[in-house]
């Protein structure tokens, strides 16, 4: 383990990342003469650290997240959707967005606290995530709590994407994303790469907050046959903020802070760091998925500019999906029928506000 000074290394550019990372990784591959299944098996047995209590807590909390979501959906989110008199298709999707907004706001706030309001310097000095690393080192309690929250939530999310969430064009990719994320969380905890893990979670969770906030305001801007300018403005602001921060956090900071630290700085601090190629392959796969979703964002921005409409371009628009969404609303109040009929007529891009029909603006 190499010594380090107190100087903070400047963040590299894209060319520096590609050049130095490729050079270091190729050199590491050439030097790894005994790489293979046997070395992987030995490294796993020698360095992985999980206790039965931690595994039990993971499964218990994953089950708990599922039950908490079901409870909030039935007792809070669905009644709110009926009270707001949302369209059936919006009311069916609203609980999912509300749940994710609540969770990601909580988790990202905690990650922000760890990175900016404690003694951890991982964001401003990413190479420090590997300073003083050693196999089997203890995980600080505050970071262990963050790992338990996030790991169990992604365990729940694999089940939820298949059985609870609305199925979208990218849902299969979302399942793969959750599996890769869960693998990164579990293995980074077991191999004590928890410092870089907190940085990865911080850089990704903020976009989920903005996405679900925007979707909720899309559902709320036209409800009960009326048009609500505030929710329309908030949905547009949210979409712009989401697009900018997706690039800034996931396509700028993530590769230049995290990937540079894991590909280059890790070998400088720990020359024989275990599972070097495995973890970097997972992080690169995560980057590729971020680029894939960024293509959806570009299509979304073009759609907004051309059609002046904020919608999730990942949604299926088939009649079967709409009918299934409508079936999720239970026991609608009779007096809502008239409002819903008026609400469906808003498809002509006109809305009634205070009894006056007016064109919809972005």
């Amino acid at each position: 383990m190499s010594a380090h000074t107190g100087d903070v290394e400047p963040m590299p550019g894209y060319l520096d990342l590609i050049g130095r990372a490729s050079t270091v990784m190729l050199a590491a591959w050439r030097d790894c003469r005994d790489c293979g299944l046997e070395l992987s098996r030995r490294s796993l047995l020698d360095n992985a650290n999980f206790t039965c209590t931690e595994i039990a807590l993971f499964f218990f909390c994953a089950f708990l997240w599922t039950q908490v979501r079901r409870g909030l959906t039935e007792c809070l989110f669905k009644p709110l959707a009926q009270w707001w008199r949302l369209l059936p298709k919006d009311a069916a999707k609203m609980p999912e967005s509300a749940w994710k907004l609540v969770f990601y706001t909580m988790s990202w706030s905690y990650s922000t606290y760890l990175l900016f309001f404690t003694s951890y310097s991982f964001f401003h000095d990413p190479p420090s995530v590997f300073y003083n690393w050693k196999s089997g080192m203890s995980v600080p309690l505050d970071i262990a709590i963050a790992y338990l929250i996030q790991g169990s939530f992604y365990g729940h999310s694999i089940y939820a994407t298949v059985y609870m969430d609305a199925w979208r064009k990218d849902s299969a990719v979302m399942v793969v994303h959750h599996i890769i994320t869960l693998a990164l969380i579990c293995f980074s905890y077991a191999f004590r790469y928890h410092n870089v893990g907190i940085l990865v979670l911080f850089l990704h969770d903020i976009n989920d907050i903005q996405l679900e906030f925007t979707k909720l305001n899309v559902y709320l801007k036209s409800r009960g046959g009326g048009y609500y300018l505030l929710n329309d403005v908030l949905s547009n602001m949210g979409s712009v903020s989401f697009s900018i921060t997706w690039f800034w956090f996931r396509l700028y900071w993530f590769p230049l802070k995290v990937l540079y630290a894991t590909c280059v700085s890790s070998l400088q601090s720990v020359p024989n760091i275990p599972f070097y190629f495995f973890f970097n392959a997972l992080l690169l796969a995560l980057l590729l998925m971020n680029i894939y979703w960024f293509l959806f964002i570009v299509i979304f921005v073009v759609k907004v500019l051309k059609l002046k409409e904020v919608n999730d371009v990942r949604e299926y628009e088939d009649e079967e999906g709409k009918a299934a969404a409508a079936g999720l609303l239970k026991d609608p109040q009779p007096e809502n029928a008239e409002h819903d009929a008026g609400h469906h007529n808003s498809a002509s891009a006109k809305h009634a506000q205070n009894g006056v029909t007016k064109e919809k603006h972005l």
Side-chain angles (χ1 to χ4, degrees):
M1 182 165 50
S2 62
H4 63 272
T5 66
D7 298 331
V8 176
E9 184 176 349
M11 190 173 71
Y14 288 113
L15 293 179
D16 293 330
L17 169 66
I18 295 171
R20 295 197 62 184
S22 58
T23 300
V24 170
M25 294 185 81
L26 284 173
W29 181 259
R30 294 193 193 98
D31 293 341
C32 190
R33 293 181 175 82
D34 56 346
C35 286
L37 292 178
E38 179 58 28
L39 177 61
S40 299
R41 188 187 68 83
R42 292 201 313 269
S43 298
L44 186 65
L45 294 176
D46 294 342
N47 296 285
N49 291 274
F50 261 130
T51 66
C52 293
T53 301
E54 291 167 341
I55 296 173
L57 280 173
F58 164 79
F59 283 105
F60 172 76
C61 290
F63 173 78
L64 188 62
W65 286 127
T66 304
Q67 299 309 309
V68 170
R69 173 175 174 173
R70 283 176 175 157
L72 288 175
T73 297
E74 295 299 326
C75 299
L76 180 61
F77 300 145
K78 282 187 176 180
L80 277 176
Q82 291 188 7
W83 183 59
W84 283 326
R85 294 177 297 182
L86 301 180
L87 277 172
K89 66 182 183 67
D90 292 337
K93 294 180 289 187
M94 175 267 188
E96 176 189 342
S97 291
W99 161 249
K100 290 179 179 178
L101 178 63
V102 169
F103 175 81
Y104 285 117
T105 300
M106 175 193 69
S107 63
W108 187 75
S109 297
Y110 187 56
S111 299
T112 302
Y113 162 76
L114 291 177
L115 289 174
F116 295 97
F117 298 96
T118 64
S119 60
Y120 302 125
S121 60
F122 310 141
F123 180 83
H124 301 291
D125 185 19
S128 68
V129 297
F130 293 106
Y131 293 166
N132 302 317
W133 179 92
K134 59 183 178 181
S135 177
M137 63 188 293
S138 61
V139 180
L141 180 60
D142 50 5
I143 293 182
I145 291 173
Y147 260 75
L148 177 61
I149 292 172
Q150 294 274 5
S152 60
F153 178 79
Y154 279 100
H156 148 79
S157 294
I158 295 172
Y159 169 84
T161 301
V162 177
Y163 296 105
M164 301 177 72
D165 296 346
W167 192 258
R168 300 181 176 89
K169 297 174 186 177
D170 68 336
S171 290
V173 178
M174 187 68 74
V175 172
V176 175
H177 167 270
H178 292 337
I179 292 173
I180 291 177
T181 303
L182 182 60
L184 278 168
I185 290 173
C186 292
F187 280 101
S188 65
Y189 183 87
F191 284 88
R192 298 309 188 247
Y193 302 145
H194 45 273
N195 294 340
V196 70
I198 290 297
L199 187 55
V200 172
L201 293 170
F202 166 78
L203 293 175
H204 283 74
D205 283 353
I206 186 172
N207 300 120
D208 294 290
I209 297 173
Q210 295 167 320
L211 175 63
E212 304 308 333
F213 173 82
T214 301
K215 288 164 66 176
L216 282 175
N217 279 283
V218 169
Y219 305 150
L220 290 170
K221 69 181 179 181
S222 299
R223 61 185 189 271
Y227 163 65
Y228 294 84
L229 178 62
L230 176 60
N231 296 113
D232 201 350
V233 171
L234 289 175
S235 67
N236 284 296
M237 291 176 60
S239 64
V240 171
S241 175
F242 170 76
S243 303
I244 294 172
T245 56
W246 184 282
F247 176 82
W248 197 261
F249 279 69
R250 296 195 180 203
L251 300 183
Y252 181 67
W253 274 341
F254 174 64
L256 299 185
K257 286 181 176 289
V258 173
L259 286 178
Y260 187 85
T262 58
C263 293
V264 178
S265 305
S266 59
L267 289 178
Q268 295 173 346
S269 297
V270 189
N272 296 316
I273 192 166
F275 280 87
Y276 170 81
F277 293 105
F278 173 75
F279 281 108
N280 280 299
L282 290 180
L283 290 170
L284 286 170
L286 192 57
L287 176 62
L288 290 176
M289 284 187 287
N290 288 338
I291 295 173
Y292 167 79
W293 275 308
F294 189 67
L295 298 179
F296 275 108
I297 295 173
V298 172
I299 296 172
F300 161 80
V301 171
V302 171
K303 183 177 180 180
V304 170
L305 293 176
K306 287 186 175 182
L307 304 180
K308 305 299 183 183
E309 182 67 44
V310 177
N311 283 317
D312 192 342
V313 297
R314 304 170 304 155
E315 301 284 0
Y316 286 110
E317 295 298 339
D318 57 287
E319 293 301 321
E320 181 182 353
K322 293 179 181 179
L328 292 178
L329 267 185
K330 297 180 179 179
D331 301 322
Q333 298 178 5
E335 61 268 27
N336 288 348
E338 182 179 349
H339 292 289
D340 286 344
H343 197 175
H344 280 289
N345 291 334
S346 66
S348 61
K350 293 185 178 181
H351 302 265
Q353 184 178 21
N354 299 326
V356 178
T357 301
K358 60 181 293 184
E359 296 290 341
K360 183 177 71 173
H361 302 284
L362 281 181

